[in-house]
């Protein structure tokens, strides 16, 4: 089984903990990193390669859309998704434009497992 590097980006510590638990329950050997805003996500993505990046949209410092626009060229092979409660058409369209996926919150085990495999 392949070990994957995954970055979980959300300003809510509770959301990060939930996603982390779901992924580790399914894949205990995966390497997970966390960031609490878009700028931290860019910093992490500049330092390491990730297989999967889950990005909240509404965050302080830098929102997920601006971060995704910088991260996508840095990590062209990564599976990237907005994992967000912001389900406006503009956010969905931005995801399409940036070539990333869209997963609406609430966070559920089924949604996360379906996405990460």
């Amino acid at each position: 089984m392949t070990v994957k590097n995954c970055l979980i980006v959300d300003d809510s510590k509770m959301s990060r903990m939930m996603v982390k638990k779901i992924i580790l329950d399914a894949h205990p050997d995966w390497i997970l990193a966390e960031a609490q805003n878009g700028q931290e996500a860019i910093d992490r993505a500049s330092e390491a390669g990730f297989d999967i990046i889950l990005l909240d949209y509404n965050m302080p410092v830098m929102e997920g859309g601006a971060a995704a626009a910088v991260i996508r060229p840095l990590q062209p092979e990564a599976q990237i998704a907005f994992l967000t409660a912001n389900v406006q058409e503009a956010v969905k369209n931005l995801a399409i434009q940036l070539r990333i996926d869209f997963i609406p919150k609430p966070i559920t085990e089924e949604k996360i497992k379906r996405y990460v495999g």
Side-chain angles (χ1 to χ4, degrees):
M1 210 166 123
T2 316
V3 173
K4 292 193 176 181
N5 277 342
C6 185
L7 177 61
I8 302 162
V9 187
D10 201 308
D11 57 321
S12 160
K13 186 171 174 51
M14 183 57 76
S15 291
R16 291 195 314 268
M17 285 169 53
M18 283 173 64
V19 173
K20 203 170 173 176
K21 182 182 180 342
I22 293 166
I23 293 173
L24 287 176
D25 282 351
H27 305 283
D29 51 347
W30 282 19
I31 300 155
L32 304 185
E34 295 179 42
Q36 52 191 350
N37 61 57
Q39 186 56 58
E40 268 186 34
I42 290 169
D43 295 346
R44 300 266 188 302
S46 302
E47 295 161 4
F50 291 99
D51 300 294
I52 298 169
I53 300 173
L54 297 170
L55 263 177
D56 189 16
Y57 187 83
N58 295 93
M59 295 181 287
V61 185
M62 181 189 284
E63 46 88 10
V70 175
I71 293 169
R72 173 43 82 206
L74 288 174
Q75 308 263 343
E77 303 302 313
Q79 204 180 313
I80 303 175
F82 284 142
L83 177 59
T84 182
N86 188 334
V87 294
Q88 295 176 58
E89 282 307 308
V91 177
K92 291 179 182 174
N93 289 336
L94 181 62
I96 293 165
Q97 211 178 313
L98 294 169
R99 298 183 345 270
I100 66 175
D101 301 305
F102 184 90
I103 306 167
K105 282 183 178 174
I107 294 165
T108 65
E109 193 172 339
E110 184 198 350
K111 285 179 196 172
I112 301 300
K113 282 185 173 171
R114 191 180 321 130
Y115 191 70
V116 303

